[in-house]
Amino acid sequence: MSAPLLEIKDLHVAVDGTEILHGLSLTVNAGEVHAIMGTNGSGKSTLTKVIAGHPDYEVTKGDVLYQGKSILENEPEERACAGIFLAFQYPVEVPGVSNMYFLRSALNAQRKSRGEAELSGAEFIELVKEKAKLVDIDSGLLNRSVNEGFSGGEKKRNEIFQLAMLAPTLAILDETDSGLDIDALKTVADGVNSMRDAARAFLLVTHYQRLLNYIEPDRVHVLLDGRIVKSGGKDLALQLEDKGYAWIEQETATA
Amino acid sequence: MAEQNESIQALAEQEYKHGWTSNVDADQLPPGLSEDIVRAISAKKNEPEWLTEWRLRAYRHWLKMTEPDWQKPKHAKIEYDKIIYYSAPKKKPTVSSLDEVDPELLETFEKLGISLDEQKRLSGVAVDAVFDSVSVKTTFREELSKQGIVFCSFSEAVADHPELVKKYLGSVVPYTDNYFATLNSAVFSDGSFCYIPPGVRCPMELSTYFRINSAGTGQFERTLLIADEGAYVSYLEGCTAPQRDENQLHAAVVELVALKGAHIKYSTVQNWYPGDKDGKGGVYNFVTKRGMASENAKVSWTQVETGSAITWKYPSCVLKGDNSVGEFYSVALTRDCQMADTGTKMIHIGKNTRSTIISKGISAGRGDQTYRGLVQIMPRATGARNYSVCDSLLLGSQCGAHTVPYIESGNSSAVIEHEASTSKISDEQIFFLRQRGLSEEDAVSMIVNGFCKDVLSELPMEFAVEAQKLLGVKLEGAVG
Ligand SMILES: Nc1ncnc2c1ncn2[C@@H]1O[C@H](COP(=O)(O)OP(=O)(O)OP(=O)(O)O)[C@@H](O)[C@H]1O
Ligand SMILES: [Mg+2]
């Protein structure tokens, strides 16, 4: 049996000297969809950024293996080129840089690192058309500067568009469902579902079980205070929706 | 993190690409300045009596002036007695065909990516190349002359079109204007000249490439562009210099004359040697550039300033005619120990005159820059309007940016808007772009190019691409 796609072992992470993740372990196999839920400030975004290699987050203990190899020494762009994608909770604006130019540069940088030929202008446009349709993004947005002046929902949709364009092996979505209207939520879910396959895995950070109605997860994990304190099937999300987190906090405290 | 900083450090030490010198035999005057030197320069160029006299008047005036010191970047004392004021490649300075050009010189320009061979040139761009003090070769001249366009070296213009030179030389920047312009008026050795006849739209980009080669020489070129009534011309200058430990003075003058309804677009991509990373050597780029706009005329300056130890210049527009328009688009990048004090002056004299200023300053390392701009509305300039935006982007924490706008309004109907911002390049933007697969340098370059977009889009297409690449190269290793 081959190694899991992502294996996080006893991960301790600090930012500015404060430890935020206190020994987190998680295994995600290719083909699976895992959901991560948890209270505000519990460390969900921290986890996603550490996997992506954000330089502000310091791993003080533990390891992150991707396709069987530790990636802690790899630069963010190396991880991206190896197929790790993060849809940000708060996408940033890059004024003056057109979405299309940015995406083409990113895609070609990734192709180049894999030894593939760069896409020609025409090939790129074809791909854009196909993926724009898939995630139902307005072509007006594509020609504007990256996220500049986009509404909250438009920024999220743009993240999903980038996901579709870059077709990563491990897709991490940090609250991509927050701020989306019902129709947009469905479109995003359809986009994700259409990308599900045996070689690809998804890590979905969400506060709402609603998303999981559309994207059925294989596993649901509860992150509290920097640790995964409970894992289960999709029913766990329903329970959380119903009862909140207090009962798990109690369970953990007494355990 | 520490490791990352080291690699950035290594890249920061990357060298100036145009820092080589050419072994071209030079015909030089001895260093130092005197009436005899001024006369000798004039004699070498077979100039008419009136021009020799004009130079001498300038020289005498210069002796009475003192060097200004109000600018922010302070520089080492310039020893005017040690500068060589005239240096020319020894082979015949004026050439009529490429066969007569010193092959070493041709190679120099080839290395710079400027082919003087008309067959090989990008179509649509005519080039005048100035090496040290002398114009080496002007391409496409015949084709242009069919439409009555004159595009040649300044010396040739003096010989072939004395009436135009006499009429317009000093008409925009008088020889008494300022210390460096006055010095230039006394000793200028060559430069480009261009005249577009009434109603003619110049069919190609005109461009001049300047290169300082000899050690100890100053470069004092003079450019005069005249667009007659209703004419249009787009003109671009590019500059490089070899790497030398001493500072070299570049004190040029550019005069633009836009007659009734004419439009002159003047672009600069400046990449003089900036000195090493500790601030040793580099070009002092002290230049006077000014355009005069008659009724309904338009003068647009676009500059991308990436080189020089010190850049000190204010390309300006004198909006003399009613309804005339002035524009200034600028990107200035300073890193390591580079300094810049640059901006523009918009002098509104005519009614309903309009001006736009878009300035983008980028500082990295210990780079320091000042935007200094004057918007002056004269009492008769009823209905004048100005819009200014000055944005600064800081890369790192040791650099500085300052904005010094001067606004003088002598007419209550004037509308003047000024916006300014200073921002730091954000780590979150860089991380976002890297997360999508771009290297840190490409990420920074992309953010900076986005920041400069409103200026770069004003450049002629092929030069916009060149300027983007130049900014990318200049930024290498600038973050961290
Ligand atoms: N750069 C930082 N400096 C200091 N504290 C930080 C920093 N980044 C995150 N934290 C802290 O770490 C904790 C975890 O933050 P994180 O963003 O991972 O939470 P989250 O689970 O994603 O929350 P939410 O559901 O609100 O998005 C918070 O208490 C936060 O304030
Ligand atoms: Mg979060």
Side-chain angles (χ1 to χ4, degrees):
Chain A
M1 216 197 119
S2 64
L5 185 62
L6 177 72
E7 194 175 5
I8 300 176
K9 293 184 189 162
D10 190 30
L11 190 67
H12 292 251
V13 172
V15 56
D16 288 337
T18 311
E19 191 172 278
I20 292 166
L21 299 184
H22 317 285
L24 184 148
S25 299
L26 175 69
T27 300
V28 179
N29 292 304
E32 294 178 350
V33 173
H34 289 229
I36 300 210
M37 306 183 78
T39 52
N40 293 130
S42 57
K44 302 182 296 298
S45 294
T46 302
L47 173 64
T48 65
K49 287 186 187 171
V50 169
I51 299 171
H54 195 296
D56 287 354
Y57 296 81
E58 193 196 346
V59 174
T60 51
K61 199 178 162 207
D63 207 350
V64 178
L65 309 182
Y66 175 71
Q67 293 173 334
K69 285 194 224 71
S70 173
I71 52 170
L72 292 182
E73 293 301 314
N74 294 349
E75 298 294 340
E77 57 271 33
E78 292 170 333
R79 303 185 198 196
C81 291
I84 297 177
F85 177 94
L86 170 59
F88 289 82
Q89 182 175 3
Y90 304 109
V92 295
E93 304 190 355
V94 191
V97 176
S98 95
N99 231 343
M100 294 287 264
Y101 174 73
F102 148 68
L103 254 178
R104 189 164 168 202
S105 308
L107 183 60
N108 280 334
Q110 294 204 10
R111 290 179 65 95
K112 217 167 136 188
S113 82
R114 294 192 296 258
E116 294 167 15
E118 295 193 357
L119 284 189
S120 71
E123 289 165 329
F124 178 73
I125 297 290
E126 268 317 299
L127 190 67
V128 166
K129 278 192 191 152
E130 180 196 326
K131 302 301 179 189
K133 212 162 142 194
L134 182 73
V135 302
D136 191 26
I137 191 167
D138 183 55
S139 62
L141 293 181
L142 300 181
N143 292 313
R144 278 165 55 183
S145 295
V146 178
N147 293 332
E148 198 185 19
F150 284 25
S151 75
E154 287 168 342
K155 284 180 183 170
K156 294 297 176 76
R157 210 182 273 245
N158 197 24
E159 294 291 288
I160 295 302
F161 176 62
Q162 291 162 40
L163 167 73
M165 287 292 294
L166 297 171
T169 309
L170 174 64
I172 305 166
L173 278 62
D174 191 359
E175 294 199 32
T176 303
D177 54 331
S178 301
L180 287 182
D181 64 45
I182 308 269
D183 292 343
L185 184 71
K186 271 207 72 181
T187 322
V188 165
D190 290 346
V192 169
N193 285 330
S194 74
M195 289 180 74
R196 282 178 85 153
D197 69 36
R200 181 175 286 138
F202 287 85
L203 197 57
L204 307 175
V205 173
T206 181
H207 283 295
Y208 306 107
Q209 111 81 22
R210 193 183 55 185
L211 176 73
L212 306 179
N213 283 339
Y214 298 111
I215 308 172
E216 198 169 308
D218 297 293
R219 299 287 289 164
V220 175
H221 309 276
V222 179
L223 184 55
L224 286 183
D225 193 23
R227 287 185 191 86
I228 288 180
V229 292
K230 199 171 181 69
S231 300
K234 65 177 177 174
D235 295 344
L236 181 55
L238 285 169
Q239 264 179 296
L240 290 171
E241 178 101 330
D242 204 30
K243 301 199 275 179
Y245 291 101
W247 62 280
I248 302 186
E249 272 163 0
Q250 272 163 12
E251 248 183 43
T252 341
T254 52
Chain B
M1 277 301 272
E3 203 175 70
Q4 196 171 326
N5 281 336
E6 270 162 40
S7 67
I8 288 170
Q9 198 54 43
L11 278 162
E13 278 149 30
Q14 77 128 26
E15 281 168 48
Y16 180 68
K17 210 174 107 196
H18 299 297
W20 37 271
T21 50
S22 308
N23 295 317
V24 175
D25 262 354
D27 171 17
Q28 294 186 335
L29 286 174
L33 192 50
S34 64
E35 290 210 2
D36 286 345
I37 292 279
V38 174
R39 281 182 210 280
I41 294 170
S42 194
K44 280 207 178 279
K45 312 190 75 65
N46 296 317
E47 284 174 356
E49 185 61 26
W50 68 265
L51 190 50
T52 315
E53 279 309 311
W54 192 81
R55 286 174 179 277
L56 287 168
R57 281 201 300 276
Y59 174 64
R60 289 171 198 140
H61 188 78
W62 183 74
L63 289 176
K64 289 184 277 176
M65 300 171 98
T66 45
E67 212 185 297
D69 67 352
W70 47 263
Q71 80 286 6
K72 184 131 195 319
K74 301 300 177 210
H75 55 80
K77 194 170 157 38
I78 299 172
E79 298 192 67
Y80 294 95
D81 286 345
K82 300 217 169 122
I83 293 174
I84 296 164
Y85 290 88
Y86 183 85
S87 171
K90 234 180 204 146
K91 301 242 170 110
K92 235 173 80 183
T94 339
V95 288
S96 44
S97 92
L98 280 178
D99 306 338
E100 295 173 51
V101 178
D102 187 333
E104 181 86 23
L105 249 178
L106 282 182
E107 211 174 286
T108 301
F109 281 98
E110 291 286 349
K111 259 199 219 171
L112 292 171
I114 306 152
S115 166
L116 298 183
D117 186 337
E118 288 176 31
Q119 315 308 318
K120 281 193 271 170
R121 256 321 281 180
L122 318 156
S123 56
V125 183
V127 181
D128 184 24
V130 178
F131 191 80
D132 282 345
S133 303
V134 203
S135 173
V136 175
K137 167 79 185 156
T138 311
T139 62
F140 284 111
R141 194 184 306 186
E142 270 161 48
E143 204 174 317
L144 291 166
S145 73
K146 281 184 204 141
Q147 302 197 42
I149 296 169
V150 181
F151 179 43
C152 62
S153 72
F154 201 94
S155 315
E156 288 167 293
V158 171
D160 301 342
H161 305 276
E163 67 303 334
L164 284 173
V165 177
K166 199 168 176 181
K167 182 166 176 191
Y168 291 108
L169 176 68
S171 69
V172 186
V173 181
Y175 71 76
T176 51
D177 195 81
N178 69 73
Y179 194 80
F180 298 104
T182 302
L183 176 63
N184 172 287
S185 303
V187 303
F188 73 87
S189 26
D190 214 335
S192 292
F193 175 88
C194 168
Y195 171 78
I196 317 284
V200 171
R201 202 186 151 82
C202 185
M204 56 182 84
E205 302 285 341
L206 300 186
S207 87
T208 301
Y209 271 86
F210 293 106
R211 169 123 182 120
I212 302 178
N213 194 58
S214 302
T217 55
Q219 180 145 332
F220 304 95
E221 79 276 353
R222 187 131 195 146
T223 300
L224 178 57
L225 248 78
I226 304 146
D228 213 323
E229 294 188 7
Y232 167 83
V233 62
S234 168
Y235 187 94
L236 184 125
E237 58 169 23
C239 332
T240 60
Q243 200 157 332
R244 295 194 184 280
D245 285 346
E246 84 272 23
N247 295 109
Q248 285 182 294
L249 177 63
H250 173 248
V253 172
V254 176
E255 293 182 276
L256 309 184
V257 180
L259 297 177
K260 238 180 180 176
H263 180 184
I264 300 179
K265 189 172 163 57
Y266 193 101
S267 315
T268 303
V269 176
Q270 186 262 110
N271 185 22
W272 296 117
Y273 176 55
D276 71 10
K277 65 181 197 317
D278 300 316
K280 194 165 161 56
V283 170
Y284 290 159
N285 187 32
F286 301 165
V287 170
T288 306
K289 292 180 166 178
R290 197 174 302 151
M292 174 89 79
S294 302
E295 205 180 316
N296 294 315
K298 180 169 170 180
V299 171
S300 316
W301 297 102
T302 306
Q303 60 174 25
V304 177
E305 304 283 329
T306 65
S308 297
I310 301 177
T311 294
W312 185 15
K313 59 185 260 208
Y314 313 94
S316 304
C317 300
V318 181
L319 305 174
K320 197 169 156 202
D322 292 350
N323 309 312
S324 56
V325 176
E327 294 174 336
F328 175 73
Y329 300 97
S330 169
V331 168
L333 182 143
T334 48
R335 60 172 295 183
D336 299 330
C337 296
Q338 282 180 281
M339 295 181 278
D341 190 323
T342 185
T344 183
K345 293 185 225 171
M346 293 290 176
I347 317 289
H348 293 250
I349 301 172
K351 291 188 178 57
N352 299 317
T353 43
R354 280 173 291 141
S355 63
T356 304
I357 300 171
I358 310 279
S359 162
K360 305 278 181 175
I362 303 138
S363 302
R366 282 171 286 164
D368 192 79
Q369 58 176 281
T370 301
Y371 166 83
R372 196 185 297 275
L374 169 68
V375 176
Q376 189 176 31
I377 315 282
M378 297 302 211
R380 30 171 315 266
T382 303
R385 291 209 317 258
N386 164 265
Y387 174 63
S388 305
V389 183
C390 303
D391 296 327
S392 309
L393 186 67
L394 303 178
L395 282 70
S397 51
Q398 287 178 287
C399 47
H402 320 270
T403 303
V404 191
Y406 302 89
I407 296 169
E408 295 172 14
S409 180
N411 185 308
S412 58
S413 70
V415 180
I416 300 168
E417 290 174 78
H418 180 88
E419 292 171 23
S421 76
T422 300
S423 48
K424 276 197 136 187
I425 196 159
S426 114
D427 291 345
E428 294 311 312
Q429 283 175 328
I430 296 176
F431 179 64
F432 164 68
L433 295 176
R434 294 178 77 186
Q435 207 304 303
R436 296 301 184 253
L438 297 172
S439 70
E440 180 168 35
E441 301 204 324
D442 288 346
V444 171
S445 163
M446 189 175 273
I447 294 165
V448 168
N449 273 301
F451 173 74
C452 301
K453 190 190 86 185
D454 294 344
V455 173
L456 297 180
S457 63
E458 291 296 320
L459 286 173
M461 191 56 184
E462 57 266 58
F463 297 110
V465 174
E466 193 176 310
Q468 261 190 18
K469 282 193 202 140
L470 183 61
L471 284 175
V473 169
K474 285 280 156 180
L475 283 164
E476 275 173 27
V479 210

